[in-house]
Amino acid sequence: AQSVTQPDIHITVSEGASLELRCNYSYGATPYLFWYVQSPGQGLQLLLKYFSGDTLVQGIKGFEAEFKRSQSSFNLRKPSVHWSDAAEYFCAVGARGGGFKTIFGAGTRLFVKA
Amino acid sequence: AAGVIQSPRHLIKEKRETATLKCYPIPRHDTVYWYQQGPGQDPQFLISFYEKMQSDKGSIPDRFSAQQFSDYHSELNMSSLELGDSALYFCASSLKDFGNTIYFGEGSWLTVV
């Protein structure tokens, strides 16, 4: 069965520091991978996605993610975090199961300190 | 650009009442998804529709039903509401090809008291 694991429930980084959010997936075929961000009380906004091709994917707001098949990982990175990046981040895998659906990880809450 | 529109944004119902949430997908999108996100939880897939037919079913309770109409909008009907149904309900839409990105609405907050 498809699954997504985000090992870190929450992470705190200083403003201006680099960030890496971890994501591991379990899927029998080549996965379609996504990172979404959710601010408190808000909807889910797509940061970036990986379908095929270049394993390093650029997204919005200065985020990038790297697909590593050998490690079944799709970690999200940002070189310099801004206070406005504080939010919940969800990794997700597109799964086929009689139709189309997206399976989400449990999320990682990012706190940014001044 | 047009996004996924959900209504109402906020809804308060009493136990055992019925609630209906509406979703208007991005124009030309033919697939609609419903997700439920409880407090502090990740979104859980409920059900999806492609071209007005149910395409997949997740953890949707039997008390809930949904459909997609000819104009591609979708409605989620929830009956015999329970306190545990209090959650943020997301609708999302995409084009039919698997792997195409799904775009989420802002969500509908349902509070059951």
Side-chain angles (χ1 to χ4, degrees):
Chain A
Q2 306 90 351
S3 66
V4 179
T5 301
Q6 292 180 248
D8 304 305
I9 297 174
H10 54 80
I11 282 181
T12 301
V13 299
S14 298
E15 190 170 18
S18 63
L19 169 71
E20 182 169 28
L21 302 182
R22 296 183 292 167
C23 173
N24 295 96
Y25 67 89
S26 172
Y27 188 62
T30 300
Y32 298 100
L33 296 162
F34 309 86
W35 274 99
Y36 288 87
V37 60
Q38 184 181 32
S39 297
Q42 301 298 311
L44 291 157
Q45 182 182 25
L46 178 70
L47 285 176
L48 48 77
K49 60 189 177 186
Y50 170 78
F51 289 168
S52 63
D54 193 347
T55 56
L56 185 61
V57 181
Q58 302 298 320
I60 63 171
K61 303 184 179 184
F63 285 91
E64 66 177 26
E66 186 171 12
F67 170 60
K68 292 185 177 180
R69 183 187 300 276
S70 61
Q71 299 177 19
S72 298
S73 69
F74 189 58
N75 294 349
L76 181 72
R77 301 194 293 250
K78 186 170 184 178
S80 178
V81 169
H82 188 262
W83 64 266
S84 61
D85 293 324
E88 186 92 19
Y89 291 80
F90 291 96
C91 180
V93 60
R96 186 184 294 278
F100 322 116
K101 62 184 176 184
T102 299
I103 296 172
F104 288 83
T108 297
R109 169 72 65 177
L110 173 63
F111 297 94
V112 181
K113 59 182 181 181
Chain B
V4 178
I5 306 299
Q6 292 187 243
S7 69
R9 292 295 312 277
H10 300 271
L11 190 60
I12 299 175
K13 290 286 186 178
E14 295 187 353
K15 285 191 302 183
R16 293 179 289 278
E17 284 192 318
T18 297
T20 297
L21 305 180
K22 296 184 178 182
C23 170
Y24 297 87
I26 292 172
R28 294 185 299 280
H29 279 192
D30 48 27
T31 305
V32 168
Y33 312 78
W34 285 98
Y35 286 82
Q36 177 192 57
Q37 185 179 25
Q41 304 296 314
D42 58 291
Q44 295 293 316
F45 172 74
L46 292 178
I47 195 167
S48 63
F49 292 88
Y50 165 61
E51 285 290 344
K52 293 150 280 183
M53 299 289 290
Q54 181 182 309
S55 60
D56 202 356
K57 194 172 182 179
S59 52
I60 184 169
D62 292 339
R63 298 176 290 107
F64 293 8
S65 65
Q67 57 182 324
Q68 187 180 30
F69 294 86
S70 58
D71 64 351
Y72 294 100
H73 95 271
S74 179
E75 295 184 4
L76 177 66
N77 298 293
M78 299 173 283
S79 62
S80 302
L81 287 170
E82 302 174 355
L83 296 178
D85 296 328
S86 296
L88 182 59
Y89 290 83
F90 286 111
C91 175
S93 73
S94 73
L95 286 171
K96 67 178 178 65
D97 293 330
F98 173 67
N100 272 356
T101 308
I102 63 173
Y103 295 87
F104 285 83
E106 289 293 309
S108 293
W109 282 99
L110 171 65
T111 301
V112 181
V113 297

